PDB file of all heavy atoms in Angstrom:
ATOM      1  N   TYR N  17    -155.333 -35.528-178.191  1.00 97.00           N
ATOM      2  CA  TYR N  17    -156.064 -34.258-178.133  1.00 97.00           C
ATOM      3  C   TYR N  17    -155.611 -33.355-176.988  1.00 97.00           C
ATOM      4  O   TYR N  17    -155.369 -32.158-177.215  1.00 97.00           O
ATOM      5  CB  TYR N  17    -157.576 -34.529-178.128  1.00 97.00           C
ATOM      6  CG  TYR N  17    -158.028 -35.068-179.465  1.00 97.00           C
ATOM      7  CD1 TYR N  17    -157.959 -36.425-179.741  1.00 97.00           C
ATOM      8  CD2 TYR N  17    -158.445 -34.220-180.485  1.00 97.00           C
ATOM      9  CE1 TYR N  17    -158.316 -36.933-180.980  1.00 97.00           C
ATOM     10  CE2 TYR N  17    -158.813 -34.702-181.726  1.00 97.00           C
ATOM     11  CZ  TYR N  17    -158.736 -36.071-181.971  1.00 97.00           C
ATOM     12  OH  TYR N  17    -159.082 -36.560-183.206  1.00 97.00           O
ATOM     13  N   VAL N  72    -166.216 -32.161-185.131  1.00 97.00           N
ATOM     14  CA  VAL N  72    -165.620 -33.036-186.141  1.00 97.00           C
ATOM     15  C   VAL N  72    -165.826 -34.484-185.729  1.00 97.00           C
ATOM     16  O   VAL N  72    -165.559 -34.853-184.579  1.00 97.00           O
ATOM     17  CB  VAL N  72    -164.113 -32.737-186.328  1.00 97.00           C
ATOM     18  CG1 VAL N  72    -163.428 -33.855-187.122  1.00 97.00           C
ATOM     19  CG2 VAL N  72    -163.921 -31.415-187.054  1.00 97.00           C
ATOM     20  N   TRP N  73    -166.342 -35.276-186.661  1.00 96.00           N
ATOM     21  CA  TRP N  73    -166.453 -36.718-186.477  1.00 96.00           C
ATOM     22  C   TRP N  73    -165.055 -37.284-186.714  1.00 96.00           C
ATOM     23  O   TRP N  73    -164.590 -37.393-187.837  1.00 96.00           O
ATOM     24  CB  TRP N  73    -167.477 -37.282-187.442  1.00 96.00           C
ATOM     25  CG  TRP N  73    -167.528 -38.761-187.674  1.00 96.00           C
ATOM     26  CD1 TRP N  73    -167.662 -39.375-188.885  1.00 96.00           C
ATOM     27  CD2 TRP N  73    -167.500 -39.823-186.695  1.00 96.00           C
ATOM     28  NE1 TRP N  73    -167.708 -40.737-188.736  1.00 96.00           N
ATOM     29  CE2 TRP N  73    -167.612 -41.042-187.394  1.00 96.00           C
ATOM     30  CE3 TRP N  73    -167.390 -39.844-185.301  1.00 96.00           C
ATOM     31  CZ2 TRP N  73    -167.611 -42.280-186.750  1.00 96.00           C
ATOM     32  CZ3 TRP N  73    -167.374 -41.085-184.658  1.00 96.00           C
ATOM     33  CH2 TRP N  73    -167.486 -42.266-185.370  1.00 96.00           C
ATOM     34  N   ALA N  74    -164.357 -37.605-185.619  1.00 96.00           N
ATOM     35  CA  ALA N  74    -162.947 -37.967-185.675  1.00 96.00           C
ATOM     36  C   ALA N  74    -162.767 -39.455-185.933  1.00 96.00           C
ATOM     37  O   ALA N  74    -162.281 -40.218-185.096  1.00 96.00           O
ATOM     38  CB  ALA N  74    -162.244 -37.561-184.380  1.00 96.00           C
ATOM     39  N   CYS N  75    -163.178 -39.842-187.118  1.00 95.00           N
ATOM     40  CA  CYS N  75    -163.056 -41.234-187.544  1.00 95.00           C
ATOM     41  C   CYS N  75    -162.900 -41.236-189.053  1.00 95.00           C
ATOM     42  O   CYS N  75    -163.767 -40.725-189.770  1.00 95.00           O
ATOM     43  CB  CYS N  75    -164.283 -42.033-187.125  1.00 95.00           C
ATOM     44  SG  CYS N  75    -164.252 -43.761-187.631  1.00 95.00           S
ATOM     45  N   ASP N  76    -161.812 -41.818-189.533  1.00 94.00           N
ATOM     46  CA  ASP N  76    -161.571 -41.841-190.976  1.00 94.00           C
ATOM     47  C   ASP N  76    -162.499 -42.819-191.694  1.00 94.00           C
ATOM     48  O   ASP N  76    -163.338 -42.452-192.505  1.00 94.00           O
ATOM     49  CB  ASP N  76    -160.119 -42.237-191.282  1.00 94.00           C
ATOM     50  CG  ASP N  76    -159.098 -41.458-190.492  1.00 94.00           C
ATOM     51  OD1 ASP N  76    -159.005 -41.686-189.280  1.00 94.00           O
ATOM     52  OD2 ASP N  76    -158.380 -40.644-191.098  1.00 94.00           O
ATOM     53  N   SER N  79    -166.166 -42.406-192.104  1.00 96.00           N
ATOM     54  CA  SER N  79    -166.665 -41.332-192.974  1.00 96.00           C
ATOM     55  C   SER N  79    -166.278 -41.567-194.432  1.00 96.00           C
ATOM     56  O   SER N  79    -167.134 -41.535-195.321  1.00 96.00           O
ATOM     57  CB  SER N  79    -166.176 -39.963-192.492  1.00 96.00           C
ATOM     58  OG  SER N  79    -164.767 -39.934-192.335  1.00 96.00           O
ATOM     59  N   SER N 103    -168.007 -31.444-189.508  1.00 97.00           N
ATOM     60  CA  SER N 103    -167.246 -32.063-190.589  1.00 97.00           C
ATOM     61  C   SER N 103    -166.714 -33.394-190.071  1.00 97.00           C
ATOM     62  O   SER N 103    -167.168 -33.904-189.045  1.00 97.00           O
ATOM     63  CB  SER N 103    -166.112 -31.130-191.046  1.00 97.00           C
ATOM     64  OG  SER N 103    -165.448 -31.653-192.190  1.00 97.00           O
ATOM     65  N   SER N 104    -165.763 -33.961-190.798  1.00 97.00           N
ATOM     66  CA  SER N 104    -165.175 -35.236-190.392  1.00 97.00           C
ATOM     67  C   SER N 104    -163.685 -35.220-190.702  1.00 97.00           C
ATOM     68  O   SER N 104    -163.187 -34.362-191.437  1.00 97.00           O
ATOM     69  CB  SER N 104    -165.847 -36.397-191.131  1.00 97.00           C
ATOM     70  OG  SER N 104    -165.587 -36.310-192.529  1.00 97.00           O
ATOM     71  N   THR N 105    -162.979 -36.196-190.158  1.00 97.00           N
ATOM     72  CA  THR N 105    -161.544 -36.298-190.407  1.00 97.00           C
ATOM     73  C   THR N 105    -161.258 -36.468-191.889  1.00 97.00           C
ATOM     74  O   THR N 105    -160.323 -35.866-192.428  1.00 97.00           O
ATOM     75  CB  THR N 105    -160.951 -37.477-189.631  1.00 97.00           C
ATOM     76  OG1 THR N 105    -161.216 -37.293-188.233  1.00 97.00           O
ATOM     77  CG2 THR N 105    -159.457 -37.585-189.845  1.00 97.00           C
ATOM     78  N   SER N 106    -162.059 -37.268-192.578  1.00 97.00           N
ATOM     79  CA  SER N 106    -161.824 -37.518-194.001  1.00 97.00           C
ATOM     80  C   SER N 106    -161.933 -36.234-194.813  1.00 97.00           C
ATOM     81  O   SER N 106    -161.074 -35.939-195.657  1.00 97.00           O
ATOM     82  CB  SER N 106    -162.808 -38.564-194.524  1.00 97.00           C
ATOM     83  OG  SER N 106    -162.649 -39.789-193.843  1.00 97.00           O
ATOM     84  N   VAL N 107    -162.978 -35.468-194.561  1.00 97.00           N
ATOM     85  CA  VAL N 107    -163.129 -34.180-195.240  1.00 97.00           C
ATOM     86  C   VAL N 107    -162.004 -33.237-194.826  1.00 97.00           C
ATOM     87  O   VAL N 107    -161.485 -32.471-195.630  1.00 97.00           O
ATOM     88  CB  VAL N 107    -164.510 -33.565-194.928  1.00 97.00           C
ATOM     89  CG1 VAL N 107    -164.638 -32.185-195.545  1.00 97.00           C
ATOM     90  CG2 VAL N 107    -165.621 -34.482-195.439  1.00 97.00           C
ATOM     91  N   GLY N 108    -161.594 -33.331-193.560  1.00 98.00           N
ATOM     92  CA  GLY N 108    -160.494 -32.509-193.072  1.00 98.00           C
ATOM     93  C   GLY N 108    -159.199 -32.778-193.813  1.00 98.00           C
ATOM     94  O   GLY N 108    -158.405 -31.855-194.042  1.00 98.00           O
ATOM     95  N   PHE N 109    -158.943 -34.023-194.187  1.00 98.00           N
ATOM     96  CA  PHE N 109    -157.754 -34.335-194.975  1.00 98.00           C
ATOM     97  C   PHE N 109    -157.769 -33.582-196.298  1.00 98.00           C
ATOM     98  O   PHE N 109    -156.745 -33.044-196.740  1.00 98.00           O
ATOM     99  CB  PHE N 109    -157.657 -35.837-195.241  1.00 98.00           C
ATOM    100  CG  PHE N 109    -156.838 -36.590-194.228  1.00 98.00           C
ATOM    101  CD1 PHE N 109    -157.434 -37.488-193.362  1.00 98.00           C
ATOM    102  CD2 PHE N 109    -155.462 -36.421-194.161  1.00 98.00           C
ATOM    103  CE1 PHE N 109    -156.680 -38.192-192.434  1.00 98.00           C
ATOM    104  CE2 PHE N 109    -154.695 -37.116-193.233  1.00 98.00           C
ATOM    105  CZ  PHE N 109    -155.307 -38.010-192.367  1.00 98.00           C
ATOM    106  N   VAL N 110    -158.923 -33.533-196.939  1.00 98.00           N
ATOM    107  CA  VAL N 110    -159.035 -32.826-198.221  1.00 98.00           C
ATOM    108  C   VAL N 110    -158.707 -31.348-198.042  1.00 98.00           C
ATOM    109  O   VAL N 110    -157.918 -30.767-198.786  1.00 98.00           O
ATOM    110  CB  VAL N 110    -160.449 -33.011-198.814  1.00 98.00           C
ATOM    111  CG1 VAL N 110    -160.613 -32.164-200.081  1.00 98.00           C
ATOM    112  CG2 VAL N 110    -160.712 -34.480-199.118  1.00 98.00           C
ATOM    113  N   PHE N 135    -159.948 -45.130-198.845  1.00 98.00           N
ATOM    114  CA  PHE N 135    -159.465 -43.784-198.550  1.00 98.00           C
ATOM    115  C   PHE N 135    -158.858 -43.148-199.793  1.00 98.00           C
ATOM    116  O   PHE N 135    -159.101 -41.979-200.097  1.00 98.00           O
ATOM    117  CB  PHE N 135    -158.436 -43.830-197.423  1.00 98.00           C
ATOM    118  CG  PHE N 135    -157.913 -42.481-197.000  1.00 98.00           C
ATOM    119  CD1 PHE N 135    -158.775 -41.493-196.552  1.00 98.00           C
ATOM    120  CD2 PHE N 135    -156.556 -42.194-197.048  1.00 98.00           C
ATOM    121  CE1 PHE N 135    -158.302 -40.244-196.153  1.00 98.00           C
ATOM    122  CE2 PHE N 135    -156.069 -40.953-196.651  1.00 98.00           C
ATOM    123  CZ  PHE N 135    -156.948 -39.971-196.203  1.00 98.00           C
ATOM    124  N   PHE N 138    -161.591 -42.000-202.050  1.00 98.00           N
ATOM    125  CA  PHE N 138    -162.221 -40.784-201.516  1.00 98.00           C
ATOM    126  C   PHE N 138    -161.408 -39.558-201.921  1.00 98.00           C
ATOM    127  O   PHE N 138    -161.960 -38.552-202.400  1.00 98.00           O
ATOM    128  CB  PHE N 138    -162.316 -40.897-199.999  1.00 98.00           C
ATOM    129  CG  PHE N 138    -162.986 -39.739-199.320  1.00 98.00           C
ATOM    130  CD1 PHE N 138    -164.344 -39.755-199.071  1.00 98.00           C
ATOM    131  CD2 PHE N 138    -162.259 -38.628-198.904  1.00 98.00           C
ATOM    132  CE1 PHE N 138    -164.971 -38.696-198.423  1.00 98.00           C
ATOM    133  CE2 PHE N 138    -162.867 -37.565-198.270  1.00 98.00           C
ATOM    134  CZ  PHE N 138    -164.239 -37.599-198.033  1.00 98.00           C
ATOM    135  N   PRO N 186    -153.795 -41.681-192.389  1.00 97.00           N
ATOM    136  CA  PRO N 186    -155.124 -41.742-191.785  1.00 97.00           C
ATOM    137  C   PRO N 186    -155.114 -42.675-190.579  1.00 97.00           C
ATOM    138  O   PRO N 186    -154.109 -43.345-190.316  1.00 97.00           O
ATOM    139  CB  PRO N 186    -155.984 -42.315-192.926  1.00 97.00           C
ATOM    140  CG  PRO N 186    -155.032 -43.125-193.737  1.00 97.00           C
ATOM    141  CD  PRO N 186    -153.718 -42.394-193.679  1.00 97.00           C
ATOM    142  N   ASP N 187    -156.214 -42.690-189.852  1.00 97.00           N
ATOM    143  CA  ASP N 187    -156.447 -43.547-188.689  1.00 97.00           C
ATOM    144  C   ASP N 187    -156.304 -42.756-187.390  1.00 97.00           C
ATOM    145  O   ASP N 187    -155.202 -42.503-186.898  1.00 97.00           O
ATOM    146  CB  ASP N 187    -155.519 -44.753-188.654  1.00 97.00           C
ATOM    147  CG  ASP N 187    -155.994 -45.811-187.647  1.00 97.00           C
ATOM    148  OD1 ASP N 187    -156.922 -45.512-186.874  1.00 97.00           O
ATOM    149  OD2 ASP N 187    -155.443 -46.917-187.644  1.00 97.00           O
ATOM    150  N   THR N 188    -157.439 -42.372-186.819  1.00 97.00           N
ATOM    151  CA  THR N 188    -157.437 -41.613-185.566  1.00 97.00           C
ATOM    152  C   THR N 188    -157.084 -42.479-184.363  1.00 97.00           C
ATOM    153  O   THR N 188    -156.934 -41.968-183.249  1.00 97.00           O
ATOM    154  CB  THR N 188    -158.794 -40.932-185.320  1.00 97.00           C
ATOM    155  OG1 THR N 188    -159.835 -41.919-185.345  1.00 97.00           O
ATOM    156  CG2 THR N 188    -159.082 -39.869-186.366  1.00 97.00           C
ATOM    157  N   THR N 209    -151.577 -36.167-190.365  1.00 98.00           N
ATOM    158  CA  THR N 209    -152.075 -37.325-189.636  1.00 98.00           C
ATOM    159  C   THR N 209    -153.499 -37.058-189.156  1.00 98.00           C
ATOM    160  O   THR N 209    -153.928 -35.906-189.046  1.00 98.00           O
ATOM    161  CB  THR N 209    -151.164 -37.666-188.449  1.00 98.00           C
ATOM    162  OG1 THR N 209    -151.283 -36.663-187.439  1.00 98.00           O
ATOM    163  CG2 THR N 209    -149.704 -37.781-188.882  1.00 98.00           C
ATOM    164  N   ALA N 210    -154.220 -38.136-188.868  1.00 98.00           N
ATOM    165  CA  ALA N 210    -155.659 -38.029-188.667  1.00 98.00           C
ATOM    166  C   ALA N 210    -156.065 -37.108-187.522  1.00 98.00           C
ATOM    167  O   ALA N 210    -156.942 -36.247-187.688  1.00 98.00           O
ATOM    168  CB  ALA N 210    -156.242 -39.422-188.456  1.00 98.00           C
ATOM    169  N   ASN N 211    -155.466 -37.254-186.360  1.00 98.00           N
ATOM    170  CA  ASN N 211    -155.878 -36.417-185.226  1.00 98.00           C
ATOM    171  C   ASN N 211    -155.441 -34.968-185.403  1.00 98.00           C
ATOM    172  O   ASN N 211    -156.166 -34.037-185.043  1.00 98.00           O
ATOM    173  CB  ASN N 211    -155.348 -37.014-183.921  1.00 98.00           C
ATOM    174  CG  ASN N 211    -156.037 -38.322-183.577  1.00 98.00           C
ATOM    175  OD1 ASN N 211    -157.241 -38.473-183.776  1.00 98.00           O
ATOM    176  ND2 ASN N 211    -155.279 -39.289-183.084  1.00 98.00           N
ATOM    177  N   VAL N 213    -155.164 -33.434-188.292  1.00 98.00           N
ATOM    178  CA  VAL N 213    -156.078 -32.889-189.295  1.00 98.00           C
ATOM    179  C   VAL N 213    -157.459 -32.632-188.699  1.00 98.00           C
ATOM    180  O   VAL N 213    -158.119 -31.638-189.031  1.00 98.00           O
ATOM    181  CB  VAL N 213    -156.158 -33.869-190.493  1.00 98.00           C
ATOM    182  CG1 VAL N 213    -157.408 -33.629-191.328  1.00 98.00           C
ATOM    183  CG2 VAL N 213    -154.907 -33.751-191.355  1.00 98.00           C
ATOM    184  N   SER N 214    -157.890 -33.506-187.806  1.00 98.00           N
ATOM    185  CA  SER N 214    -159.205 -33.322-187.173  1.00 98.00           C
ATOM    186  C   SER N 214    -159.271 -31.998-186.417  1.00 98.00           C
ATOM    187  O   SER N 214    -160.274 -31.276-186.482  1.00 98.00           O
ATOM    188  CB  SER N 214    -159.497 -34.481-186.214  1.00 98.00           C
ATOM    189  OG  SER N 214    -159.565 -35.708-186.897  1.00 98.00           O
ATOM    190  N   GLU N 217    -159.360 -29.039-188.801  1.00 98.00           N
ATOM    191  CA  GLU N 217    -160.670 -28.925-189.431  1.00 98.00           C
ATOM    192  C   GLU N 217    -161.677 -28.285-188.479  1.00 98.00           C
ATOM    193  O   GLU N 217    -162.470 -27.421-188.886  1.00 98.00           O
ATOM    194  CB  GLU N 217    -161.151 -30.310-189.881  1.00 98.00           C
ATOM    195  CG  GLU N 217    -162.511 -30.323-190.552  1.00 98.00           C
ATOM    196  CD  GLU N 217    -162.532 -29.734-191.946  1.00 98.00           C
ATOM    197  OE1 GLU N 217    -161.506 -29.147-192.377  1.00 98.00           O
ATOM    198  OE2 GLU N 217    -163.565 -29.831-192.616  1.00 98.00           O
TER     199      GLU N 217
END
Side-chain angles (χ1 to χ4, degrees):
Y17 291 86
V72 166
W73 165 224
C75 179
D76 311 71
S79 53
S103 186
S104 65
T105 302
S106 299
V107 176
F109 267 112
V110 174
F135 182 58
F138 182 92
D187 194 350
T188 56
T209 70
N211 291 321
V213 160
S214 297
E217 180 72 352

